[in-house]
Amino acid sequence: MKRRSAVKAMALTSFSTPFMLSQGFTGIRQLFSTPTPVFQSNWENWPDIHWIGPEYWGNRLQDWEIQDGKAACVISAPNRTLHILTHQLRDGKEDFEQSVLVYWRNESLKGNPNAYVGFRSGAKGKFIDYRSAAVFGQGIDLGINGLGQLVIGDKSTEAKVDLNRPVYLSMQAKWTGNSYTLALSASNDTGFSSPVQLQTEGIKMEDLSGNLALVAHTSKDDQSDEALVTFSDWKFQGEKNRHRPTADFWTHRLRTIHREPKYSQTHCSTRSSGESTGT
């Protein structure tokens, strides 16, 4: 039923022309006219709705909603991801960075190191196509676990952030001669004073091409109907970001409205467990 509501919301919003035009067609704002544009999510200008917006693909569709101007993962379960359809990480050695504001919501998963939220970068699917990546995408996960530790793959910090407060999370990817270095930072303060930091090196160029997504994950044993996290103020920039023409994702959304995909259950990889998305 929730999936049906999400598809109906997609259809209604797709043809709400005045609203779409007032918010900008893609719902993403270009903040600066520079050679390296900066983009920012626009959820704060949307009403509460059982859908996540036209420029995103949520896995599963019914598990992502706009609530109080934020993107909410309304379930705690394995491999819930939110892909941006208008941008990808291109092949090449350019740098990029992204940031997001995180609100941990599931109280029962605080203290659980197997639950985590954050970024999925360089997601790729079974085929070389952003839509395949959005449904089946495997990538590099970076974020915060239920202990408040920063995590990149199997690496984690001893220092922690406070999950009872909003967490400002950012990452940078820099080419360092023959590989990428990833730097993850988190703080409970808007000015990023005394951040917790984690870095990993030796990331291959091909591992950082593909989709950008937000991720919310817990193990199947710990899954529940309780919302895990909400995100706001998602920004990304850098020459490695490739913008997709609006027509690409808009056509994809209209196809989805008129014919639901056969793969309503998605199967995205996690940072270590390899579990697929369940029901």
Side-chain angles (χ1 to χ4, degrees):
M1 288 299 293
K2 287 188 67 177
R3 181 181 177 84
R4 189 176 305 164
S5 297
V7 174
K8 286 181 179 178
M10 286 163 53
L12 290 172
T13 312
S14 299
F15 298 102
S16 300
T17 303
F19 177 78
M20 290 299 296
L21 293 178
S22 69
Q23 302 308 318
F25 191 69
T26 68
I28 294 242
R29 297 194 300 269
Q30 180 171 325
L31 301 181
F32 304 106
S33 297
T34 67
T36 307
V38 179
F39 294 90
Q40 180 177 344
S41 59
N42 201 25
W43 296 305
E44 69 273 15
N45 289 325
W46 284 72
D48 288 1
I49 189 171
H50 297 298
W51 185 37
I52 202 59
E55 65 276 271
Y56 304 99
W57 182 267
N59 287 318
R60 302 171 306 176
L61 288 176
Q62 64 267 38
D63 293 338
W64 293 90
E65 301 178 4
I66 297 176
Q67 296 180 353
D68 299 323
K70 303 176 183 67
C73 183
V74 297
I75 193 171
S76 297
N79 299 311
R80 269 39 184 184
T81 53
L82 182 63
H83 289 253
I84 181 74
L85 300 179
T86 57
H87 294 75
Q88 277 191 311
L89 296 175
R90 69 173 83 239
D91 294 330
K93 303 173 183 178
E94 299 89 351
D95 299 339
F96 80 96
E97 59 187 86
Q98 59 180 326
S99 62
V100 73
L101 187 53
V102 177
Y103 305 81
W104 192 285
R105 291 179 56 181
N106 190 327
E107 293 291 330
S108 66
L109 289 177
K110 289 178 179 177
N112 187 330
N114 296 316
Y116 66 90
V117 301
F119 305 113
R120 178 166 290 171
S121 297
K124 301 176 186 64
K126 296 181 178 180
F127 308 101
I128 304 175
D129 183 86
Y130 74 103
R131 288 158 294 195
S132 176
V135 176
F136 300 104
Q138 303 178 34
I140 298 173
D141 287 1
L142 314 88
I144 312 160
N145 66 16
L147 293 170
Q149 299 170 317
L150 272 62
V151 291
I152 303 177
D154 294 324
K155 295 180 66 174
S156 62
T157 59
E158 290 293 332
K160 303 174 183 178
V161 292
D162 184 0
L163 297 183
N164 295 311
R165 299 168 57 195
V167 178
Y168 298 85
L169 183 67
S170 71
M171 68 152 290
Q172 291 183 327
K174 290 189 175 294
W175 183 256
T176 55
N178 56 10
S179 64
Y180 274 100
T181 295
L182 303 183
L184 186 65
S185 301
S187 176
N188 293 116
D189 301 315
T190 55
F192 258 82
S193 60
S194 303
V196 179
Q197 297 178 314
L198 181 62
Q199 182 172 296
T200 191
E201 302 173 346
I203 303 299
K204 298 178 181 179
M205 180 179 64
E206 56 267 28
D207 291 338
L208 276 184
S209 64
N211 280 17
L212 288 162
L214 299 174
V215 61
H217 170 82
T218 191
S219 68
K220 192 169 184 178
D221 290 340
D222 295 319
Q223 71 180 27
S224 70
D225 291 332
E226 186 175 349
L228 178 52
V229 65
T230 54
F231 296 101
S232 68
D233 203 24
W234 187 17
K235 303 175 185 177
F236 44 89
Q237 64 179 353
E239 294 181 359
K240 196 170 177 64
N241 286 291
R242 177 165 64 97
H243 179 233
R244 286 196 164 277
T246 299
D248 277 3
F249 80 85
W250 190 249
T251 302
H252 175 56
R253 303 307 291 190
L254 291 177
R255 281 204 304 269
T256 306
I257 291 167
H258 293 294
R259 179 175 59 84
E260 286 193 28
K262 295 179 181 179
Y263 35 79
S264 60
Q265 305 294 325
T266 60
H267 303 277
C268 300
S269 73
T270 69
R271 57 191 175 95
S272 59
S273 65
E275 294 169 313
S276 61
T277 301
T279 56

